Amino acid sequence: MPDKPPGSMRTRHRSMGDRLHAEAYLTRLDWHLEAVMPGKERRSTVKELRQSLISDPRGMTSSLRDLGSPKALADQYADDAHRRPLWSIGVIAAGAALLVYWTVFLSYVFGMLAAVESLGSAEADATFFIIKVTAFSTDEGVGIGWTSDWAWLIVPTVLAAFAFLLGARIWRQVKPSEVTTS
Amino acid sequence: MSRIQAQQDAQLTRAALPLLTLTLIADEESYGYQLIERLANLGLEVTTGLMYPLLSRLERDGQVSTRMVPSTSGPPRKYFALTEAGHATRASVKEQWQVVATAVHAATEKEHAPHA
């Protein structure tokens, strides 16, 4: 069948901004589709949607608004399928949790160092969760340090693992057992 | 339009969409956005967020077959055609709709009938 080129079907030129906007949307959609379809089918769906967005005669903002939120669109594709864990979102959640943890931890440690310097004392020790932290300011140098045993590693590891499992909705790994009626 | 009314409209559209889509595809092989425009011409506004997942499901269930057709105005387009299974589903869903439509019609006609 020959392709019809009526005026309403004319493809708009997509700017770099439009393409970036679409890619950001499709990336988020890809994360949510992980819950409802296997990898190959997911990639194929995202590819088709990318082509549809490029072909859509409307502006990119209108096209994306029409699709709805990435999560809502993924739910439309689900069709009552059993939801799988969202591993990508789990990894992102773990990364975000680590980022927050290290920001808070380093703020705490540098705060200690500022206090040591302003008070003119040589050294200060404190505990951040279970991690022993030291800040010192002497004639030889200024520095911060924390205990080198497992404690400094266990807190962020537990935090990241918890965020990963929560972000990935790990409970979805357990398929609901079939209800049998006697 | 109230939120509840909008939800009811959306549910009604969602329920009718498979039959409408299968019927339009039976009439003429079409691609996704074209189906939306054809529905708009019939007076029904459907979003791409509703149409594309439906087409994906119909394809997965073997109700429609697809082929890529090169386009002069952009990337190739995926055209949908009805399979034998699709024709059978369309006939069966059409029957169900007729039962519902008859019941709705009878009830609403009764509503306007003068009381004895």
Side-chain angles (χ1 to χ4, degrees), chain A residues 132-143:
Chain A
K132 288 188 175 65
V133 184
T134 304
F136 59 91
S137 175
T138 61
D139 295 338
E140 286 81 41
V142 177

Side-chain angles (χ1 to χ4, degrees), chain B residues 7-88:
Chain B
Q7 279 178 343
Q8 282 174 338
D9 282 359
Q11 283 171 353
L12 199 58
T13 302
R14 193 168 294 156
L17 198 56
L19 175 61
L20 288 166
T21 305
L22 290 172
T23 302
L24 291 181
I25 295 172
D27 286 346
E28 186 192 345
E29 197 180 24
S30 304
Y31 56 90
Y33 194 75
Q34 191 179 24
L35 287 165
I36 290 169
E37 293 208 319
R38 288 175 67 194
L39 284 168
N41 291 338
L42 294 172
L44 191 67
E45 294 296 329
V46 175
T47 64
T48 49
L50 209 55
M51 179 57 81
Y52 293 157
L54 171 66
L55 289 170
S56 171
R57 278 198 298 277
L58 291 173
E59 184 184 4
R60 197 172 55 219
D61 296 345
Q63 307 291 321
V64 295
S65 60
T66 61
R67 67 188 184 99
M68 298 303 286
V69 176
S71 166
T72 52
S73 56
R77 288 186 168 129
K78 193 176 193 177
Y79 278 78
F80 296 87
L82 226 54
T83 60
E84 285 301 314
H87 279 288

Side-chain angles (χ1 to χ4, degrees), chain A residues 1 21 28 95-96 98 101 116 180:
Chain A
M1 178 197 281
H21 195 181
R28 285 163 57 214
L98 281 177
Y101 171 80
V116 166
T180 51

Side-chain angles (χ1 to χ4, degrees), chain A residues 75-114:
Chain A
D75 284 344
Q76 289 288 338
Y77 276 98
D79 188 31
D80 302 330
H82 169 69
R83 302 290 203 277
R84 297 176 174 83
L86 295 159
W87 302 120
S88 301
I89 289 179
V91 169
I92 292 162
L98 281 177
L99 191 69
V100 169
Y101 171 80
W102 283 109
T103 302
V104 172
F105 178 70
L106 290 174
S107 301
Y108 180 85
V109 172
F110 282 112
M112 274 179 65
L113 184 62

